[in-house]
């Protein structure tokens, strides 16, 4: 078994981080077997690995503790599900609920307000085993969705309760800025200033969509993403979180693809939609070198994409995991498991992530930042790690 290790040189920057960011014990897991089962019964496989993000944008030092804390809680929520025998798709949904319920993230509770002062959310989830995909876009929630949820035992949440003091005050500030801008400029310049204003609220570039990717010990992967969208967006705007292949992607290994992959994105929705970044990154992960493949995908398919040639800055981030089954030598020991490679990359100033295996006592968190002196939207950061989820057969 191996723990979090230097992965193609990208983990070197984490070696000097505090204990919260750098694990002191191996990222390992075990396949458990019910002791009361018969010898010929197939063991129940529980456990797995989760990687979450609290958005790609800018995370101030003053709020770093809160962002890390919500990532820890999301990881723990997913791992609790995995330990209870849940599949990857159930665990990833549990992680998203925790991320959405935090007032510090732009998803669910505390989402950005649109131009009319209302909350409209986007979200999607994908199961790598069945390839089933589901999404909602620009929901407040609508009457039909509300009635369906209530009839299925889901407690309702009035939209006014989803707004926080921070999101309301941000809306009022943005509204004043827009009213001032409208007195000076019109047309295209006005729309451009609106977007720049939403990206630079409090100097933070809040593009903090949340997401998660999970693998269970059956080898199934799943991914999910959720967002409140850009501040001051036009009512009805639907971002990447609700678009197929743009917000998230998950696909189990098959004859054509040797690796199972799961991806969740964050950033400027228009940039992520026009490049279908989630699916592009998933496809790239079938290459032998995962780190190099993601680096090239972010550079060639995103920053330098011909679909974004007119953009001065291309803003986005991804979390990615890929896995495959492995058998340890010597064969007589009958040790087998899943090799998990997990990565994150972003062109924004920062990205907050957390990760945990079912064997860990607590999640690890990290706020990745671009190197000093670099220009957001024109360069990228990439980091990650490797772990193995192991079992010993009879």
């Amino acid at each position: 078994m191996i723990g979090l290790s230097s992965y193609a040189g990208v983990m070197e920057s984490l070696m000097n981080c505090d204990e919260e960011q750098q694990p002191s014990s191996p990222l390992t897991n075990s396949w458990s077997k019910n002791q009361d089962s018969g010898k010929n019964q197939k063991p129940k496989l529980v456990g797995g690995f989760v990687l979450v993000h609290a958005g790609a944008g800018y995370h101030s030092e003053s709020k770093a503790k809160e962002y890390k804390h919500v990532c820890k809680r999301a990881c723990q929520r997913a791992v609790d599900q995995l330990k209870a025998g849940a599949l990857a798709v159930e665990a990833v949904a549990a992680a998203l609920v925790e991320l959405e319920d935090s007032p510090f993230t732009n998803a669910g509770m505390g989402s950005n307000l649109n131009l009319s002062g209302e909350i409209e959310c986007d979200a999607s989830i994908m199961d790598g085993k069945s390839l089933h995909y589901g999404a909602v876009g620009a929901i407040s929630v609508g009457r039909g969705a509300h009635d369906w949820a209530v009839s299925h035992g889901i407690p309702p949440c009035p939209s006014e309760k989803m707004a926080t003091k921070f999101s309301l005050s941000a809306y009022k500030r943005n509204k004043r800025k827009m009213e001032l801008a409208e007195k000076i400029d019109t047309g295209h310049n006005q729309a451009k200033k609106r977007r720049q204003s939403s990206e630079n609220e409090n100097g933070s570039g809040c593009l903090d969509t949340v997401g998660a990717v999970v693998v269970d010990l059956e080898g199934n992967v799943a991914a999910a993403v959720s967002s409140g969208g850009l501040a001051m967006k036009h009512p009805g705007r639907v971002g990447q979180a609700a678009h197929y292949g743009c917000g998230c992607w998950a696909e189990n290994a098959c004859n054509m693809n040797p690796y199972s992959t799961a991806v969740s994105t964050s950033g400027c929705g228009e940039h992520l939609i026009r490049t279908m970044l989630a699916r592009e990154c998933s496809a790239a992960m079938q290459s032998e070198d995962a780190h190099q493949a993601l680096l090239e995908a972010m550079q060639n398919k995103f920053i330098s994409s011909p679909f974004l040639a007119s953009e001065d800055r291309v803003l986005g981030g991804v979390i990615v995991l890929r896995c495959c089954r492995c058998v340890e030598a010597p064969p007589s020991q009958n040790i087998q498991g899943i090799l998990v490679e997990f990565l994150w990359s972003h062109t924004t100033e920062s990205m907050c992530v957390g990760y945990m295996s079912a064997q860990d006592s607590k999640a690890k968190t990290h706020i990745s930042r671009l190197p000093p002196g670099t220009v957001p939207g024109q360069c990228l950061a990439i980091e990650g790690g490797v772990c193995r989820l192991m079992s010993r057969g009879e």
Side-chain angles (χ1 to χ4, degrees), residues 151-226:
S151 68
H152 285 75
I154 301 173
C157 179
S159 59
E160 57 268 20
K161 289 189 177 181
M162 295 175 66
T164 62
K165 290 182 178 179
F166 177 80
S167 61
L168 286 170
S169 62
Y171 170 75
K172 292 176 182 178
R173 284 194 297 272
N174 275 330
K175 192 73 171 177
R176 288 195 296 268
K177 290 178 182 178
M178 288 178 57
E179 290 171 350
L180 179 62
E182 286 171 357
K183 295 178 181 178
I184 303 172
D185 297 313
T186 59
H188 174 74
N189 288 337
Q190 210 177 97
K192 186 174 182 180
K193 284 184 180 249
R194 181 184 299 125
R195 191 164 112 188
Q196 290 174 340
S197 175
S198 67
E199 290 177 358
N200 293 296
E201 173 62 31
N202 291 331
S204 64
C206 289
L207 302 170
D208 43 359
T209 300
V210 301
V213 289
V214 170
V215 57
D216 60 36
L217 274 185
E218 294 283 358
N220 303 307
V221 294
V225 63
S226 181

Coordinates of all heavy atoms in Angstrom, one line a residue, residues 151-226:
S151 N -44.0 15.7 -2.8 CA -44.6 14.4 -2.9 C -43.7 13.2 -2.7 O -44.1 12.1 -2.4 CB -45.3 14.3 -4.3 OG -44.3 14.2 -5.3
H152 N -42.4 13.5 -2.8 CA -41.4 12.4 -2.6 C -40.7 12.6 -1.3 O -39.6 12.0 -1.0 CB -40.4 12.5 -3.7 CG -40.9 11.9 -5.0 ND1 -41.7 12.6 -5.8 CD2 -40.6 10.7 -5.6 CE1 -42.0 11.8 -6.9 NE2 -41.4 10.7 -6.8
G153 N -41.3 13.3 -0.4 CA -40.8 13.4 1.0 C -39.6 14.3 1.2 O -38.9 14.3 2.2
I154 N -39.3 15.2 0.2 CA -38.2 16.1 0.3 C -38.7 17.4 1.0 O -39.6 18.0 0.4 CB -37.5 16.4 -1.0 CG1 -37.0 15.1 -1.7 CG2 -36.4 17.4 -0.9 CD1 -36.5 15.3 -3.1
P155 N -38.1 17.8 2.1 CA -38.6 19.0 2.8 C -38.4 20.3 1.9 O -37.3 20.5 1.4 CB -37.9 19.1 4.1 CG -36.6 18.3 3.8 CD -37.0 17.2 2.9
P156 N -39.4 21.2 1.8 CA -39.2 22.4 1.0 C -38.4 23.4 1.7 O -38.3 23.4 2.9 CB -40.7 22.9 0.8 CG -41.4 22.4 2.1 CD -40.8 21.1 2.4
C157 N -37.8 24.3 0.9 CA -36.9 25.4 1.4 C -37.3 26.6 0.6 O -36.9 26.8 -0.5 CB -35.4 25.1 1.3 SG -34.4 26.4 1.8
P158 N -38.0 27.5 1.3 CA -38.4 28.8 0.6 C -37.2 29.5 0.1 O -36.2 29.6 0.8 CB -39.1 29.6 1.7 CG -39.6 28.5 2.7 CD -38.6 27.5 2.6
S159 N -37.3 30.1 -1.1 CA -36.1 30.8 -1.7 C -35.6 31.9 -0.9 O -34.4 32.2 -0.9 CB -36.5 31.3 -3.1 OG -37.6 32.2 -3.0
E160 N -36.5 32.6 -0.1 CA -36.0 33.7 0.7 C -35.1 33.3 1.8 O -34.3 34.0 2.3 CB -37.2 34.5 1.3 CG -38.2 33.6 2.1 CD -39.3 33.1 1.3 OE1 -39.2 33.0 0.1 OE2 -40.4 32.7 2.0
K161 N -35.2 32.0 2.2 CA -34.3 31.5 3.3 C -33.0 31.1 2.7 O -32.0 30.9 3.5 CB -35.0 30.2 3.9 CG -36.2 30.5 4.8 CD -36.6 29.3 5.6 CE -37.7 29.6 6.5 NZ -38.2 28.5 7.3
M162 N -32.8 31.0 1.4 CA -31.5 30.7 0.8 C -30.6 31.9 0.7 O -29.4 31.7 0.5 CB -31.8 30.1 -0.6 CG -32.5 28.7 -0.5 SD -32.9 28.1 -2.2 CE -31.2 27.8 -2.8
A163 N -31.2 33.1 0.7 CA -30.4 34.3 0.7 C -29.8 34.6 2.1 O -30.4 34.4 3.1 CB -31.2 35.5 0.3
T164 N -28.5 35.0 2.1 CA -27.8 35.3 3.3 C -27.5 36.8 3.4 O -27.7 37.5 2.4 CB -26.5 34.5 3.4 OG1 -25.6 34.9 2.3 CG2 -26.7 33.0 3.3
K165 N -27.1 37.3 4.5 CA -26.8 38.7 4.7 C -25.7 39.1 3.7 O -25.7 40.2 3.1 CB -26.3 39.0 6.1 CG -27.4 38.9 7.2 CD -26.9 39.2 8.6 CE -28.0 39.1 9.6 NZ -27.5 39.4 11.0
F166 N -24.7 38.2 3.5 CA -23.6 38.5 2.6 C -24.1 38.6 1.1 O -23.8 39.5 0.4 CB -22.6 37.4 2.7 CG -21.4 37.6 1.7 CD1 -20.4 38.5 1.9 CD2 -21.4 36.9 0.5 CE1 -19.4 38.7 1.1 CE2 -20.4 37.1 -0.4 CZ -19.3 38.0 -0.1
S167 N -25.0 37.6 0.7 CA -25.4 37.7 -0.7 C -26.4 38.8 -0.9 O -26.4 39.4 -2.0 CB -26.2 36.3 -1.0 OG -27.3 36.1 -0.2
L168 N -27.2 39.2 0.1 CA -28.0 40.4 0.0 C -27.3 41.7 -0.1 O -27.6 42.6 -0.9 CB -29.0 40.4 1.1 CG -30.2 39.4 1.1 CD1 -30.9 39.4 2.4 CD2 -31.1 39.7 -0.1
S169 N -26.2 41.8 0.7 CA -25.4 43.0 0.7 C -24.6 43.1 -0.6 O -24.4 44.2 -1.1 CB -24.5 43.1 1.9 OG -23.6 42.0 1.9
A170 N -24.2 42.0 -1.1 CA -23.4 42.0 -2.4 C -24.4 42.4 -3.5 O -24.0 43.1 -4.4 CB -22.9 40.6 -2.7
Y171 N -25.6 42.0 -3.5 CA -26.6 42.4 -4.5 C -26.8 43.9 -4.5 O -26.9 44.5 -5.5 CB -27.9 41.6 -4.2 CG -29.1 42.2 -5.1 CD1 -29.2 41.8 -6.4 CD2 -30.0 43.0 -4.5 CE1 -30.2 42.3 -7.2 CE2 -31.1 43.5 -5.3 CZ -31.2 43.1 -6.6 OH -32.2 43.6 -7.3
K172 N -27.0 44.4 -3.3 CA -27.2 45.9 -3.2 C -26.0 46.7 -3.7 O -26.2 47.7 -4.4 CB -27.5 46.2 -1.7 CG -28.8 45.7 -1.2 CD -29.0 46.0 0.3 CE -30.4 45.4 0.8 NZ -30.5 45.6 2.2
R173 N -24.8 46.2 -3.4 CA -23.6 46.9 -3.9 C -23.5 46.8 -5.4 O -23.2 47.8 -6.1 CB -22.3 46.3 -3.3 CG -22.1 46.7 -1.8 CD -20.7 46.4 -1.4 NE -20.4 45.0 -1.4 CZ -20.7 44.1 -0.4 NH1 -21.2 44.6 0.7 NH2 -20.5 42.9 -0.4
N174 N -23.8 45.6 -5.9 CA -23.7 45.5 -7.4 C -24.8 46.3 -8.1 O -24.6 46.8 -9.2 CB -23.9 44.0 -7.8 CG -22.6 43.2 -7.7 OD1 -21.6 43.8 -7.9 ND2 -22.7 41.9 -7.4
K175 N -26.0 46.4 -7.5 CA -27.1 47.1 -8.0 C -26.7 48.6 -8.1 O -26.9 49.3 -9.2 CB -28.3 47.0 -7.1 CG -29.6 47.5 -7.8 CD -30.1 46.5 -8.9 CE -31.5 46.9 -9.3 NZ -31.9 46.1 -10.5
R176 N -26.1 49.1 -7.1 CA -25.6 50.5 -7.1 C -24.6 50.8 -8.2 O -24.6 51.8 -8.9 CB -25.1 50.9 -5.8 CG -26.2 51.1 -4.7 CD -25.6 51.8 -3.5 NE -24.6 51.1 -2.8 CZ -24.8 50.2 -1.8 NH1 -26.0 50.0 -1.4 NH2 -23.8 49.6 -1.3
K177 N -23.6 49.8 -8.3 CA -22.6 50.0 -9.3 C -23.2 50.0 -10.8 O -22.8 50.7 -11.6 CB -21.6 48.8 -9.2 CG -20.7 48.9 -8.0 CD -19.8 47.7 -7.9 CE -18.9 47.7 -6.7 NZ -18.1 46.5 -6.6
M178 N -24.2 49.1 -11.0 CA -24.8 49.0 -12.3 C -25.6 50.2 -12.6 O -25.6 50.7 -13.7 CB -25.7 47.8 -12.3 CG -25.0 46.4 -12.4 SD -26.1 45.1 -12.4 CE -27.1 45.5 -13.8
E179 N -26.3 50.8 -11.6 CA -27.1 52.0 -11.9 C -26.2 53.1 -12.2 O -26.5 54.0 -13.1 CB -27.9 52.3 -10.6 CG -29.1 51.3 -10.4 CD -29.7 51.5 -9.1 OE1 -29.2 52.3 -8.2 OE2 -30.8 50.9 -8.8
L180 N -25.0 53.2 -11.6 CA -24.1 54.2 -11.9 C -23.5 54.0 -13.3 O -23.3 55.0 -14.1 CB -22.9 54.3 -10.9 CG -21.8 55.3 -11.1 CD1 -22.4 56.7 -11.0 CD2 -20.7 55.1 -10.0
A181 N -23.2 52.8 -13.6 CA -22.6 52.5 -15.0 C -23.6 52.8 -16.1 O -23.2 53.2 -17.2 CB -22.2 51.0 -15.0
E182 N -24.9 52.5 -15.8 CA -25.9 52.8 -16.8 C -26.1 54.2 -17.2 O -26.5 54.6 -18.3 CB -27.2 52.2 -16.4 CG -27.2 50.6 -16.4 CD -28.5 50.1 -15.8 OE1 -29.3 50.8 -15.2 OE2 -28.6 48.8 -15.8
K183 N -25.7 55.1 -16.3 CA -25.7 56.5 -16.6 C -24.6 57.0 -17.5 O -24.6 58.0 -18.1 CB -25.6 57.3 -15.2 CG -26.8 57.1 -14.3 CD -26.6 57.9 -13.0 CE -27.8 57.7 -12.1 NZ -27.6 58.4 -10.8
I184 N -23.6 56.1 -17.6 CA -22.4 56.5 -18.3 C -22.3 55.7 -19.7 O -22.1 56.3 -20.7 CB -21.1 56.2 -17.5 CG1 -21.1 57.0 -16.2 CG2 -19.8 56.5 -18.3 CD1 -20.0 56.6 -15.3
D185 N -22.5 54.4 -19.6 CA -22.4 53.5 -20.8 C -23.7 52.9 -21.1 O -24.6 52.7 -20.3 CB -21.3 52.5 -20.6 CG -20.0 53.1 -20.3 OD1 -19.6 54.0 -21.1 OD2 -19.3 52.7 -19.4
T186 N -23.8 52.4 -22.4 CA -25.0 51.6 -22.8 C -24.5 50.4 -23.6 O -23.4 50.3 -24.0 CB -25.9 52.5 -23.7 OG1 -25.2 53.0 -24.8 CG2 -26.4 53.7 -22.9
G187 N -25.5 49.6 -23.9 CA -25.2 48.5 -24.8 C -24.2 47.5 -24.4 O -24.2 47.0 -23.2
H188 N -23.3 47.1 -25.3 CA -22.3 46.1 -25.1 C -21.4 46.4 -23.9 O -21.1 45.5 -23.1 CB -21.4 45.9 -26.3 CG -20.3 45.0 -26.1 ND1 -20.5 43.6 -26.1 CD2 -18.9 45.2 -26.0 CE1 -19.3 43.0 -25.9 NE2 -18.4 44.0 -25.8
N189 N -21.0 47.6 -23.8 CA -20.1 48.0 -22.7 C -20.8 47.8 -21.3 O -20.1 47.4 -20.4 CB -19.7 49.5 -22.8 CG -18.7 49.7 -23.9 OD1 -18.0 48.8 -24.3 ND2 -18.6 50.9 -24.4
Q190 N -22.1 48.0 -21.3 CA -22.8 47.8 -20.1 C -22.8 46.4 -19.7 O -22.6 46.0 -18.5 CB -24.3 48.3 -20.3 CG -25.0 48.8 -19.1 CD -26.3 49.3 -19.5 OE1 -27.3 48.6 -19.3 NE2 -26.5 50.5 -20.0
A191 N -23.1 45.5 -20.6 CA -23.1 44.0 -20.3 C -21.7 43.6 -19.9 O -21.6 42.8 -18.9 CB -23.5 43.3 -21.6
K192 N -20.7 44.1 -20.5 CA -19.3 43.7 -20.1 C -19.0 44.1 -18.7 O -18.4 43.4 -17.9 CB -18.3 44.3 -21.1 CG -16.9 43.8 -20.9 CD -16.0 44.3 -22.0 CE -14.6 43.8 -21.8 NZ -13.7 44.3 -22.9
K193 N -19.4 45.4 -18.4 CA -19.1 45.9 -17.0 C -19.9 45.1 -16.0 O -19.4 44.9 -14.9 CB -19.5 47.4 -17.0 CG -18.5 48.3 -17.6 CD -18.9 49.7 -17.4 CE -17.9 50.6 -18.1 NZ -17.1 51.4 -17.2
R194 N -21.1 44.6 -16.3 CA -21.9 43.8 -15.4 C -21.2 42.6 -15.1 O -21.1 42.2 -13.9 CB -23.3 43.5 -16.0 CG -24.2 42.7 -15.0 CD -25.5 42.3 -15.7 NE -26.2 43.5 -16.0 CZ -26.7 43.8 -17.2 NH1 -26.4 42.9 -18.2 NH2 -27.4 44.9 -17.5
R195 N -20.6 41.9 -16.1 CA -19.9 40.7 -15.8 C -18.6 40.9 -15.0 O -18.3 40.2 -14.1 CB -19.6 40.0 -17.2 CG -19.1 38.5 -16.9 CD -19.1 37.8 -18.2 NE -17.8 37.5 -18.7 CZ -17.5 36.9 -19.9 NH1 -18.5 36.6 -20.7 NH2 -16.3 36.6 -20.2
Q196 N -17.9 41.9 -15.4 CA -16.7 42.2 -14.6 C -17.0 42.6 -13.2 O -16.3 42.2 -12.3 CB -16.0 43.4 -15.3 CG -15.3 43.1 -16.6 CD -14.7 44.3 -17.4 OE1 -15.1 45.4 -17.1 NE2 -13.9 44.0 -18.3
S197 N -18.1 43.3 -13.0 CA -18.5 43.6 -11.6 C -18.8 42.4 -10.8 O -18.4 42.3 -9.6 CB -19.8 44.5 -11.6 OG -20.2 44.8 -10.3
S198 N -19.5 41.4 -11.4 CA -19.8 40.2 -10.7 C -18.6 39.4 -10.4 O -18.5 38.7 -9.4 CB -20.8 39.4 -11.5 OG -20.3 38.9 -12.6
E199 N -17.6 39.4 -11.3 CA -16.4 38.6 -11.1 C -15.5 39.2 -10.1 O -14.6 38.6 -9.5 CB -15.6 38.5 -12.4 CG -16.4 37.6 -13.4 CD -15.6 37.5 -14.7 OE1 -14.6 38.2 -14.9 OE2 -16.1 36.8 -15.6
N200 N -15.6 40.5 -9.8 CA -14.7 41.2 -8.9 C -15.4 41.8 -7.7 O -14.8 42.6 -7.0 CB -14.0 42.4 -9.7 CG -13.1 41.9 -10.8 OD1 -12.1 41.2 -10.6 ND2 -13.5 42.2 -12.0
E201 N -16.5 41.3 -7.3 CA -17.2 41.7 -6.1 C -16.3 41.5 -4.9 O -15.7 40.4 -4.7 CB -18.5 40.9 -5.9 CG -19.2 41.1 -4.6 CD -19.6 42.6 -4.5 OE1 -19.9 43.2 -5.5 OE2 -19.6 43.0 -3.3
N202 N -16.0 42.6 -4.2 CA -15.1 42.6 -3.0 C -13.7 42.2 -3.5 O -12.9 41.7 -2.6 CB -15.6 41.6 -1.9 CG -16.9 42.1 -1.3 OD1 -17.1 43.3 -1.2 ND2 -17.7 41.2 -0.8
G203 N -13.4 42.3 -4.7 CA -12.0 41.9 -5.2 C -11.8 40.5 -5.2 O -10.7 40.0 -5.2
S204 N -12.9 39.7 -5.1 CA -12.7 38.2 -4.9 C -12.9 37.4 -6.1 O -12.5 36.2 -6.1 CB -13.7 37.8 -3.9 OG -15.1 37.9 -4.4
G205 N -13.5 37.9 -7.2 CA -13.7 37.0 -8.4 C -14.5 35.8 -8.0 O -14.0 34.7 -8.2
C206 N -15.6 36.0 -7.4 CA -16.4 34.8 -6.8 C -17.0 33.9 -7.9 O -18.1 34.2 -8.4 CB -17.5 35.3 -5.9 SG -16.8 36.0 -4.4
L207 N -16.3 32.9 -8.3 CA -16.7 32.0 -9.3 C -16.8 30.6 -8.6 O -16.3 29.6 -9.1 CB -15.8 31.9 -10.5 CG -15.6 33.2 -11.3 CD1 -14.5 33.1 -12.3 CD2 -16.9 33.6 -11.9
D208 N -17.4 30.6 -7.4 CA -17.2 29.5 -6.5 C -18.4 28.4 -6.6 O -19.0 28.1 -5.6 CB -17.1 30.0 -5.0 CG -18.1 31.1 -4.7 OD1 -18.9 31.5 -5.6 OD2 -18.1 31.6 -3.6
T209 N -18.5 27.9 -7.8 CA -19.3 26.7 -8.0 C -18.7 25.6 -7.1 O -17.5 25.5 -6.9 CB -19.3 26.3 -9.4 OG1 -19.8 27.4 -10.2 CG2 -20.1 25.0 -9.7
V210 N -19.6 24.7 -6.6 CA -19.0 23.6 -5.8 C -19.2 22.3 -6.5 O -20.0 22.1 -7.4 CB -19.7 23.5 -4.4 CG1 -19.5 24.8 -3.6 CG2 -21.2 23.2 -4.5
G211 N -18.4 21.2 -6.2 CA -18.5 20.0 -6.8 C -17.8 18.9 -6.1 O -17.1 19.1 -5.1
A212 N -18.0 17.6 -6.6 CA -17.4 16.5 -5.9 C -17.3 15.3 -6.9 O -18.1 15.2 -7.9 CB -18.2 16.0 -4.7
V213 N -16.3 14.5 -6.7 CA -16.1 13.2 -7.5 C -15.8 12.1 -6.5 O -15.1 12.3 -5.5 CB -14.9 13.4 -8.5 CG1 -15.4 14.3 -9.7 CG2 -13.6 13.8 -7.9
V214 N -16.3 10.9 -6.8 CA -16.2 9.8 -5.8 C -16.0 8.5 -6.6 O -16.4 8.3 -7.7 CB -17.5 9.7 -5.0 CG1 -17.5 8.4 -4.2 CG2 -17.7 10.9 -4.0
V215 N -15.2 7.6 -5.9 CA -15.1 6.2 -6.4 C -15.4 5.3 -5.2 O -14.9 5.6 -4.1 CB -13.7 5.9 -7.0 CG1 -12.6 6.2 -6.0 CG2 -13.6 4.5 -7.5
D216 N -16.2 4.3 -5.4 CA -16.4 3.3 -4.3 C -15.6 2.1 -4.6 O -14.9 2.0 -5.6 CB -17.9 3.0 -4.2 CG -18.5 2.4 -5.5 OD1 -17.8 1.6 -6.2 OD2 -19.7 2.7 -5.9
L217 N -15.6 1.2 -3.6 CA -14.7 0.0 -3.7 C -15.2 -1.0 -4.7 O -14.5 -2.0 -5.0 CB -14.5 -0.6 -2.4 CG -13.4 0.0 -1.6 CD1 -13.1 -0.7 -0.3 CD2 -12.1 0.1 -2.4
E218 N -16.3 -0.8 -5.4 CA -16.7 -1.6 -6.5 C -16.1 -1.1 -7.8 O -16.2 -1.7 -8.8 CB -18.3 -1.6 -6.6 CG -19.0 -2.3 -5.5 CD -19.0 -3.8 -5.5 OE1 -18.4 -4.3 -6.5 OE2 -19.5 -4.4 -4.6
G219 N -15.5 0.1 -7.7 CA -14.8 0.7 -8.8 C -15.7 1.6 -9.6 O -15.4 2.1 -10.7
N220 N -16.9 1.9 -9.0 CA -17.9 2.8 -9.7 C -17.5 4.3 -9.4 O -17.1 4.6 -8.3 CB -19.3 2.6 -9.2 CG -19.8 1.2 -9.4 OD1 -19.7 0.7 -10.6 ND2 -20.3 0.5 -8.4
V221 N -17.6 5.2 -10.4 CA -17.3 6.6 -10.1 C -18.6 7.4 -10.4 O -19.5 7.0 -11.0 CB -16.2 7.1 -11.1 CG1 -14.9 6.4 -10.8 CG2 -16.6 6.9 -12.6
A222 N -18.6 8.6 -9.8 CA -19.7 9.5 -9.9 C -19.2 10.9 -9.8 O -18.2 11.1 -9.1 CB -20.8 9.2 -8.9
A223 N -19.9 11.9 -10.3 CA -19.5 13.3 -10.2 C -20.7 14.2 -10.1 O -21.8 13.8 -10.6 CB -18.7 13.7 -11.5
A224 N -20.6 15.3 -9.5 CA -21.7 16.2 -9.3 C -21.2 17.7 -9.2 O -20.0 17.9 -8.9 CB -22.5 15.9 -8.1
V225 N -22.0 18.6 -9.5 CA -21.7 20.0 -9.5 C -22.9 20.9 -9.2 O -24.0 20.5 -9.5 CB -21.1 20.5 -10.8 CG1 -22.1 20.3 -11.9 CG2 -20.5 21.9 -10.8
S226 N -22.8 22.0 -8.5 CA -23.9 22.8 -8.1 C -23.4 24.3 -8.1 O -22.3 24.6 -7.6 CB -24.5 22.4 -6.8 OG -25.6 23.2 -6.4

